Amino acid sequence: MTLEPILSASTAVQIHLLAAVMTLALTPVMLMRRKGTRGHVLWGRFWVIFMALTAASSFWIMEIRLIGPWSPIHILSMITLLSLFNAVRAARRRKISAHKAHILGSLLGFLGAGLFTLFPGRILSDSLFSGHEIQGFSATLLLGGCGLFWLTWRWRKA
């Protein structure tokens, strides 16, 4: 592992990565708290802020240009921002099943997009695996798949 690719990346990439790491760190905290408590609401607010910052900061990252300066990942960012808005609105209206669905959709999109950052040649992949792309990528897919399965299973039981 080396931090050089991250440290030499643009400020937008660094903000995006920091927000994504904070979102990832807060995800189990938010999901494992008893729902409806002040703690769940507080940690959920921080999670929404970091998730929104992750999605919004992606609009300043334009290395993959497939649609003008944009890529398909930017469509996912727009959907994520809309989903976060709908999740907060549903929670405030006490429509818990809709809130849960929007949060789960945002989370699955976040984890899916995160897996693409681990492809060889991407900044995060270069930083984490530095020369060991194939082994590291395979291990990450396995761990990510297990983590995604566990989060989905845990969420359904909550």
Side-chain angles (χ1 to χ4, degrees), residues 6-124:
I6 294 169
L7 296 175
S8 63
S10 69
T11 304
V13 169
Q14 293 173 353
I15 290 170
H16 183 73
L17 181 60
L18 179 61
V21 167
M22 293 302 295
T23 301
L24 192 60
L26 287 176
T27 296
V29 173
M30 179 195 63
L31 292 180
M32 287 196 259
R33 302 223 29 121
R34 203 168 106 231
K35 308 308 179 264
T37 62
R38 294 176 95 186
H40 175 76
V41 171
L42 177 68
W43 287 112
R45 286 179 179 165
F46 283 119
W47 186 87
V48 166
I49 289 167
F50 284 118
M51 180 69 124
L53 183 58
T54 302
S57 63
S58 76
F59 292 105
W60 282 268
I61 302 171
M62 297 176 265
E63 278 111 23
I64 301 172
R65 297 168 182 254
L66 297 176
I67 309 164
W70 313 110
S71 73
I73 199 78
H74 294 106
I75 296 169
L76 182 59
S77 294
M78 289 187 297
I79 292 169
T80 298
L81 290 170
L82 181 62
S83 185
L84 289 173
F85 173 79
N86 288 329
V88 171
R89 186 174 61 174
R92 287 186 176 168
R93 293 179 176 176
R94 307 238 186 268
K95 295 182 178 182
I96 302 308
S97 61
H99 169 72
K100 187 176 177 179
H102 288 296
I103 292 294
L104 183 58
S106 295
L107 180 59
L108 293 176
F110 172 74
L111 294 174
L115 287 176
F116 285 111
T117 66
L118 300 173
F119 276 43
R122 303 293 308 268
I123 292 171
L124 190 58

